[in-house]
Each structure stands twice: as C-alpha cells, then as structure tokens.
Amino acid sequence: MNVPPEILNAIAAELSAQDLSNFRLTSRRFARAGLPLIPCHGLSILDTAYDIGKISQLLQSSSIRYNLRSLRIYHAEWSPPETHGVANVRLSSDPESGITKISRPHEVSQKLNHLFRSLPNLQEICISSAYNLVWDQPRKSRRLHNAIEFCPYPSNEVSHTFESVVEALSPSLLGLKSLSIHGYFSPDSIDIRNPLLLAHVQALEIKDFRLNRNELQIGQFLSYFQHIQSLSISYKTWGPCTNTLESIYWPSLSVLKIHGLWTAEQEFLTIYETHCANLSQIGFHNCALTDGSWRSLFTKLRNLGQAVQITASGELYGRTSEGTIEMNFTALESLENFMKNPRLRWPFS
C-alpha cells in the first residue's frame, strides 16, 4: 500500500484515541505515522514508581516526549496482604476500612521530577483518584478487581499525590499552564515547600475541597496562584465555609466558577467587587447563603453596572425554602434578563 506519509499523518490526526490505536496496528508504516499523535490525547498513569518508570520508557521516543502536553496522574491506595518485597514503603492503617495501605512518597516524587524534566512542552497536569477511573467498570471487571490479591484500593483522597507532584516540579517547568485536582483535597494536610512553583499556573480546577475548619489554609493555598486567569473550585461541605475567598485578589482573573460554597451574601459581593474590573464570567453553582438573600445579592451585582456574564446552575439555597431558587433553564433565562434590564423586578417569588 503506497500511501504518501503526509496523507497517513493527516488521517491519523483525525482519529480518536481508540481508532488511533487500531490504526497503528495495521502496519509498521501506519505505526510510525501515528506515533507523534499519541500524546495529542494525553497520557494517564498511576502514581506508583512502577507506572512512572514504564511511561519513562515510552518517552524515550522524541516524537512522544516533545508532543506530550497533557498528563493525568491517578492516585490509589494499595492494600496487599504483605509488601511483596517492595522497597521504601510506608504502612498505615485506615480505621474506617481496616485496610493497611502502602505509600512511597519520596520515591514517587523523585521519579516524577525526572519525568517532568523530560517533558519540555508539558502544559497541563490533572491529579485524579483511581475511584474516578474504576467507577464505570462493568460488574464483571469490578468482581475481578476485588478478587486480585495485589490491587489498588480506590480512594477519593488525592492530597498527598498533589504534594508529590508539587515536590517534583522544578523552576524549569514554566510551561505548565493548567492544573486540575479531581478528588478530596485538604490543603492543611500537605506541606508545600516552594509555593512560587505554582505562581505561573493560569487555569486551576479543584473538585473538591474537603472542609474541616481549614478555611484559612484553603485561602492561603489559593493565594499561591498569583497569575490565575480561570478558576473553578468546588467545596465538599455540610456546613458554612466563610472567608476562603474574600481576602484574596487575583489581578488577572477573568473566569470564576464557584461550586457548593456556603457563606454570607457579603462575601460573594466582595469577591465580585474585588475582581469585576477584569472579570468576564462568574458562576454560582449549588451555593448557599448564611446571611442575606439572593435577591439582594443579584440586585447589588446588577447595580454595579459591570459587563460580567453571571451564570448559575443546580440550586441556590437561601436561608429559607422561599428564598431558594432552582436554576433550571427557565430560571436561568429569567435571571439573565433581570441582570441585563435594571427596570425589571425580581422574577422569583
């Protein structure tokens, strides 16, 4: 099959990750044509020394090493009956599950540091939990997973994986523009020795902050991202969480999405007033008020007269059931009209 390499490259560039894999199995010429496009879909690894070592072998190919821009790192606790001869392990017992867990923080950080140094064009890191990876497994696969003696225990906690990633970052990795954290995250349980390594990140997404009287630590952590432009944060809480954002100023912030924050009307207003000069969009999603009302808040935001797009979804919980708004399509449209026209009355009873 005498197909010019340019055409093969063009075909490979249009394929999904699964189709690209099948494409490369056709022949050696097809494999070579599709090789530089493997990193276009990003790569995923578990935060174990073994997995990091395997991907390091893959990165010996310059076509992959220089084209990789997105890396997803999954965290899982390991629960074998014994250490199986693994070196540099630390055992800890989970009182809830009764599972003995293995962690190798220093070894993982060292290997991650070597990995990051070999990726000159890395722009995005997503830290997630293996719980998200196995959630959609077929029932048969889950039974097999539970039957394997040496297997990861899916945990939503990703704080220490984030700590290992930050420890592995180096000043040379200035191309990192996007950072995502998917899983329970507690800034008060980690030690960030060099916060300046986070200052150049421009897009930050966190799902979810685990709250345990650690509002000050959350605020301090978010202040490390001095040049943030897009921020999406979610809170995992069953109670009020105040003063996590009120005292922080990000001079370049243009997009802010807040999920699950339970605080006073004044804090939401202060956040908006502080950033409205550069803000193009702000979103309130499943948020709750401890003081004031949504009617008062949105009226004040409208009176400020700034051209900021305000979005909302889920439920906006008021102090009473009468003050709660279910943000369906009709409600969102009504809110948008209210924000645009100062003569309109509040559309929610």
Side-chain angles (χ1 to χ4, degrees), residues 1-9 12 20 23-36:
M1 189 175 182
N2 190 17
V3 181
E6 295 81 6
I7 295 180
L8 289 179
N9 293 336
L20 179 62
F23 175 86
R24 296 188 67 246
L25 293 174
T26 305
S27 69
R28 291 183 179 180
R29 289 188 67 232
F30 280 52
R32 286 195 297 270
L35 181 61

Side-chain angles (χ1 to χ4, degrees), residues 249-262:
Y249 173 61
W250 297 283
S252 303
L253 186 66
S254 61
V255 177
L256 175 60
K257 299 177 182 179
I258 306 172
H259 302 257
L261 181 59
W262 186 352

Side-chain angles (χ1 to χ4, degrees), residues 53-92:
K54 295 296 288 185
I55 198 175
S56 298
Q57 296 177 22
L58 180 65
L59 295 177
Q60 291 178 6
S61 167
S62 59
S63 297
I64 297 179
R65 184 168 66 252
Y66 287 103
N67 286 301
L68 183 62
R69 289 172 171 77
S70 177
L71 182 65
R72 181 181 290 269
I73 303 173
Y74 286 103
H75 170 73
E77 303 288 355
W78 290 80
S79 54
E82 55 188 48
T83 61
H84 295 268
V86 180
N88 296 327
V89 301
R90 183 177 64 197
L91 299 179
S92 61

Side-chain angles (χ1 to χ4, degrees), residues 39-324:
C40 293
H41 302 281
L43 295 179
S44 300
I45 58 172
L46 278 173
D47 63 338
T48 63
Y50 175 80
D51 264 51
I52 299 170
K54 295 296 288 185
I55 198 175
S56 298
Q57 296 177 22
L58 180 65
L59 295 177
Q60 291 178 6
S61 167
S62 59
S63 297
I64 297 179
R65 184 168 66 252
Y66 287 103
N67 286 301
L68 183 62
R69 289 172 171 77
S70 177
L71 182 65
R72 181 181 290 269
I73 303 173
Y74 286 103
H75 170 73
E77 303 288 355
W78 290 80
S79 54
E82 55 188 48
T83 61
H84 295 268
V86 180
N88 296 327
V89 301
R90 183 177 64 197
L91 299 179
S92 61
S93 181
D94 185 348
E96 295 183 5
S97 63
I99 291 176
T100 300
K101 303 175 182 178
I102 289 182
S103 59
R104 309 181 270 291
H106 184 62
E107 183 184 4
V108 168
S109 294
Q110 283 184 325
K111 289 189 174 292
L112 280 175
N113 180 264
H114 179 73
L115 175 65
F116 292 157
R117 288 177 181 272
S118 66
L119 298 172
N121 297 315
L122 184 64
Q123 298 178 0
E124 177 183 3
I125 294 178
C126 178
I127 300 166
S128 187
S129 66
Y131 185 82
N132 296 326
L133 181 65
V134 303
W135 177 256
D136 294 324
Q137 279 186 337
R139 183 178 301 177
K140 185 182 297 185
S141 299
R142 289 200 297 269
R143 287 202 301 265
L144 176 63
H145 176 274
N146 294 330
I148 296 175
E149 185 179 41
F150 187 61
C151 64
Y153 168 73
S155 168
N156 252 346
E157 179 64 50
V158 296
S159 302
H160 293 293
T161 297
F162 175 81
E163 185 177 25
S164 297
V165 168
V166 174
E167 186 179 340
L169 292 177
S170 63
S172 60
L173 197 64
L174 297 178
L176 181 64
K177 302 301 181 185
S178 177
L179 180 63
S180 301
I181 304 172
H182 296 171
Y184 292 153
F185 179 62
S186 304
D188 52 311
S189 65
I190 61 176
D191 179 23
I192 300 178
R193 300 176 184 176
N194 191 356
L196 293 177
L197 294 174
L198 303 173
H200 56 272
V201 172
Q202 297 177 4
L204 176 65
E205 180 185 23
I206 300 177
K207 299 188 299 187
D208 302 290
F209 274 126
R210 175 175 281 180
L211 295 173
N212 184 23
R213 299 179 181 176
N214 55 350
E215 289 90 342
L216 291 178
Q217 290 86 348
I218 290 176
Q220 182 181 28
F221 172 79
L222 291 172
S223 68
Y224 295 153
F225 299 87
Q226 301 170 10
H227 301 293
I228 204 75
Q229 296 178 10
S230 176
L231 175 62
S232 176
I233 49 178
S234 176
Y235 295 83
K236 192 71 173 180
T237 176
W238 300 105
C241 173
T242 58
N243 302 322
T244 59
L245 301 175
E246 190 173 18
S247 60
I248 310 175
Y249 173 61
W250 297 283
S252 303
L253 186 66
S254 61
V255 177
L256 175 60
K257 299 177 182 179
I258 306 172
H259 302 257
L261 181 59
W262 186 352
T263 189
E265 172 192 327
Q266 183 58 45
E267 180 167 1
F268 284 122
L269 182 62
T270 301
I271 295 167
Y272 184 88
E273 289 177 328
T274 303
H275 298 95
C276 62
N278 296 316
L279 206 61
S280 62
Q281 178 183 346
I282 185 170
F284 303 97
H285 310 279
N286 291 310
C287 294
L289 292 177
T290 60
D291 183 57
S293 68
W294 292 111
R295 177 178 183 174
S296 173
L297 174 61
F298 285 117
T299 301
K300 291 175 182 177
L301 296 183
R302 184 178 68 176
N303 293 340
L304 289 174
Q306 297 292 329
V308 179
Q309 180 185 6
I310 297 178
T311 62
S313 67
E315 288 193 77
L316 301 182
Y317 297 95
R319 298 175 63 194
T320 63
S321 58
E322 290 78 11
T324 297

